[in-house]
Amino acid sequence: MGTGWRALLDEATRRLTESGVDSPRVDAEFLAAHVAGVSRGGLFAAAAPTSAQAKKFRSLVERRAAREPLQHVLGTAPFRYAELAVGPGVFVPRPETEQLAEWALARLATVAAPLVVDLCAGSGAIGHAIVSERPDAVVVLVEKYPEAANWLRRNLDGVAARVVEADAVSPETLSDLDGQCDAVLSNPPYVPTSTAVSPEVAADPATAVFGGSCGLDVIRPLIPRAARLLRPGGVVAIEHDDSHGAVVPELLTAAGFADATDHDDLTGRPRFATATLPPRGLARLAGCEAL
Ligand SMILES: C[S@@+](CC[C@H](N)C(=O)[O-])C[C@H]1O[C@@H](n2cnc3c(N)ncnc32)[C@H](O)[C@@H]1O
């Protein structure tokens, strides 16, 4: 890297540090790489910035210093092997959700042409990963809110998957698939409403982040909906708040699911619960609403 980029990066790192950005140097490098048109690693061999590039870089750094999410400034967010388009109106996919997708891909490895539903799809991160990495899968993605659904359609454009704009917890949604799905996967809104969030999280739509006073407003009805969608032996995976590592498996068990298990994320926090629908799982569904 020439001294030009190094000096700009040092200046940007100072500016982002003052603004309270968590990873100032890394963010500065992503922004510089974006402006230079290279990967972050490629920045070190990049030509010195032109004055137009330096001006553009400083303007992007100012947006990030105002705590606009890095992914909004860049216009994309990485998720497994894909770069998804993101911006205001859609939830920025997070690395921890990649583990849920990885779990599902492993569980589906022996199922030919699996039918997979991604409920609360947002940018389409989970469903996009499944259909990209299992091209024989039949994937249906459901998103309720129109602005998010626009981003979803954009990310799934040209991808062999079905996008449905509807309420994921309504019994009518995808009722044509009841009893047939091999996997129901979901990263629903789950943060308890009173939780203080960073400016970056506040830039996500509130309807994507918050799940009511205890965080379970969407998860509760989603569990019986998943049970009805699944075939016997089908699996469910639901991401949840780190305070819900016990209750979500309990809700799954109460709904008639077997093998309810919770999984930690890479930071060791409880992050998603999985379970299997046994042949007689639907018989106990009524118990879920009581919890
Ligand atoms: C936490 S975001 C997750 C988005 C994406 N699945 C991901 O992992 O990045 C939750 C998404 O669920 C959507 N959503 C909230 N309630 C919903 C409902 N009842 N039916 C369908 N989508 C819903 C929100 O608009 C948002 O896009």
Side-chain angles (χ1 to χ4, degrees):
M1 190 188 336
T3 50
W5 276 120
R6 198 183 311 279
L8 281 174
L9 283 170
D10 290 346
E11 173 191 312
T13 304
R14 283 193 297 276
R15 178 77 183 100
L16 296 180
T17 303
E18 283 162 19
S19 313
V21 169
D22 265 350
S23 46
R25 186 71 183 192
V26 171
D27 284 21
E29 287 175 5
F30 273 116
L31 293 172
H34 179 73
V35 171
V38 298
S39 68
R40 187 173 152 223
L43 195 57
F44 296 88
T50 63
S51 58
Q53 284 177 321
K55 188 173 170 205
K56 172 83 179 158
F57 175 68
R58 287 195 173 104
S59 78
L60 298 187
V61 169
E62 281 312 304
R63 286 174 60 189
R64 184 70 190 103
R67 303 299 294 274
E68 192 173 338
L70 176 68
Q71 298 86 348
H72 285 197
V73 180
L74 298 174
T76 59
F79 192 84
R80 289 183 65 85
Y81 302 105
E83 283 288 332
L84 298 165
V86 293
V90 74
F91 183 84
V92 172
R94 307 295 206 269
E96 47 268 39
T97 309
E98 293 179 327
Q99 285 174 262
L100 185 157
E102 187 168 331
W103 177 90
L105 285 159
R107 284 302 295 258
L108 294 168
T110 55
V111 182
L115 175 56
V116 180
V117 172
D118 175 0
L119 298 178
C120 301
S123 65
I126 298 172
H128 188 283
I130 302 295
V131 76
S132 305
E133 297 178 49
R134 277 295 302 272
D136 64 327
V138 177
V139 176
V140 185
L141 304 96
V142 181
E143 168 58 46
K144 178 176 176 182
Y145 294 96
E147 239 189 312
N150 285 340
W151 288 100
L152 176 61
R153 281 187 282 268
R154 177 170 164 186
N155 281 321
L156 273 292
D157 188 33
V159 174
R162 178 176 155 203
V163 170
V164 177
E165 188 175 329
D167 185 346
V169 302
S170 162
E172 285 82 45
T173 301
L174 306 188
S175 57
D176 55 319
L177 301 182
D178 278 357
Q180 298 175 52
C181 299
D182 295 293
V184 174
L185 312 175
S186 185
N187 175 17
Y190 57 66
V191 177
T193 314
S194 59
T195 307
V197 296
S198 67
E200 287 81 0
V201 176
D204 285 316
T207 45
V209 175
F210 297 107
S213 58
C214 76
L216 293 168
D217 281 7
V218 179
I219 289 181
R220 279 180 196 277
L222 191 121
I223 289 175
R225 186 69 207 107
R228 288 197 172 87
L229 282 165
L230 288 169
R231 63 159 171 83
V235 293
V236 64
I238 302 174
E239 188 167 316
H240 59 67
D241 188 68
D242 56 14
S243 63
H244 293 150
V247 74
V248 176
E250 276 171 28
L251 288 167
L252 287 163
T253 303
F257 281 95
D259 304 328
T261 306
D262 208 66
H263 304 256
D264 288 352
D265 63 22
L266 293 173
T267 67
R269 297 194 181 101
R271 186 56 61 206
F272 70 99
T274 60
T276 305
L277 190 74
R280 296 168 66 81
L282 287 175
R284 292 178 56 199
L285 264 178
C288 184
E289 276 94 33
L291 273 176

